[in-house]
């Protein structure tokens, strides 16, 4: 899928790395996701570093993140903890025609993912190894999910 990216910053990212980073477990999961992408040469927009709410305020943080999505070729969303901000980022990216990928360590066949998420993403990766295999070979099989 080819996308035209509207970009006022003249920076293009391979991925916007969406996901929560509010506790050590979430940060560790984001770090695994980001490390996998970066070890495969992907340039990331990382909201946890690019748009510091405390430093720039809510409006500027929101605008920076939206521009980050627009400036990326695709969004990869870490589904750990069903973070509302991540859900918005998935919906916004899907709405503007960006490819969206989901990532959730340990997801397995038979697990449940909300249909609004499962139907709006192009693939669901169940581990860093699963994502790495896709980045290396282009091959991927989604888990069989229980929709709700």
């Amino acid at each position: 899928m080819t996308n035209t990216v509207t970009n006022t910053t003249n920076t293009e990212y391979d991925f916007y790395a969406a996901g929560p980073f509010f506790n050590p477990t979430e940060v560790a999961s984001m770090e695994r996701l980001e490390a996998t992408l970066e070890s495969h040469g992907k340039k990331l927009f990382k909201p946890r570093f690019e748009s510091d709410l405390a430093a720039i305020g809510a409006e500027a943080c929101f605008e920076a993140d939206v521009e980050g999505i627009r400036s990326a070729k695709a969004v990869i969303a870490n589904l750990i903890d069903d973070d509302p901000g991540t859900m918005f980022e998935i919906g916004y990216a899907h709405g503007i025609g960006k490819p969206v990928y989901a990532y959730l360590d340990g997801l397995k066949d038979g697990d449940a993912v909300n249909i609004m998420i499962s139907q709006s993403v192009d693939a669901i990766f169940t581990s860093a190894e699963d994502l790495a295999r896709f980045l290396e070979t282009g091959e991927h099989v989604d888990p069989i999910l229980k929709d709700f």
Side-chain angles (χ1 to χ4, degrees):
M1 175 182 242
T2 303
N3 291 294
T4 304
V5 177
T6 303
N7 183 358
T8 59
T9 63
N10 296 322
T11 301
E12 186 171 288
Y13 300 93
D14 295 305
F15 289 96
Y16 177 101
F21 44 89
F22 306 110
N23 64 51
T25 300
E26 292 171 348
V27 170
S29 185
M30 289 304 296
E31 287 173 343
R32 280 190 301 279
L33 171 61
E34 294 162 354
T36 300
L37 293 165
E38 290 174 331
S39 72
H40 287 82
K42 302 304 180 189
K43 184 175 181 183
L44 306 181
F45 182 95
K46 298 187 264 188
R48 65 193 187 106
F49 298 117
E50 300 288 341
S51 50
D52 182 348
L53 175 60
I56 64 176
E59 184 177 351
C61 183
F62 175 82
E63 292 301 326
D65 288 355
V66 167
E67 183 57 30
I69 293 169
R70 288 184 189 134
S71 299
K73 295 175 187 173
V75 168
I76 189 159
N78 190 336
L79 300 182
I80 189 172
D81 294 341
D82 295 328
D83 172 59
T86 303
M87 300 307 118
F88 169 83
E89 291 159 332
I90 290 169
Y92 181 77
H94 178 77
I96 63 170
K98 297 278 179 182
V100 181
Y101 302 96
Y103 171 88
L104 183 57
D105 272 325
L107 186 70
K108 59 190 178 310
D109 286 346
D111 285 349
V113 173
N114 183 280
I115 62 168
M116 297 306 287
I117 302 305
S118 67
Q119 297 302 303
S120 65
V121 299
D122 296 277
I124 299 175
F125 301 103
T126 59
S127 67
E129 296 78 20
D130 184 26
L131 175 58
R133 186 173 36 261
F134 173 74
L135 294 169
E136 294 162 9
T137 68
E139 297 175 8
H140 175 71
V141 176
D142 280 332
I144 299 167
L145 301 173
K146 181 176 118 183
D147 291 323
F148 74 97

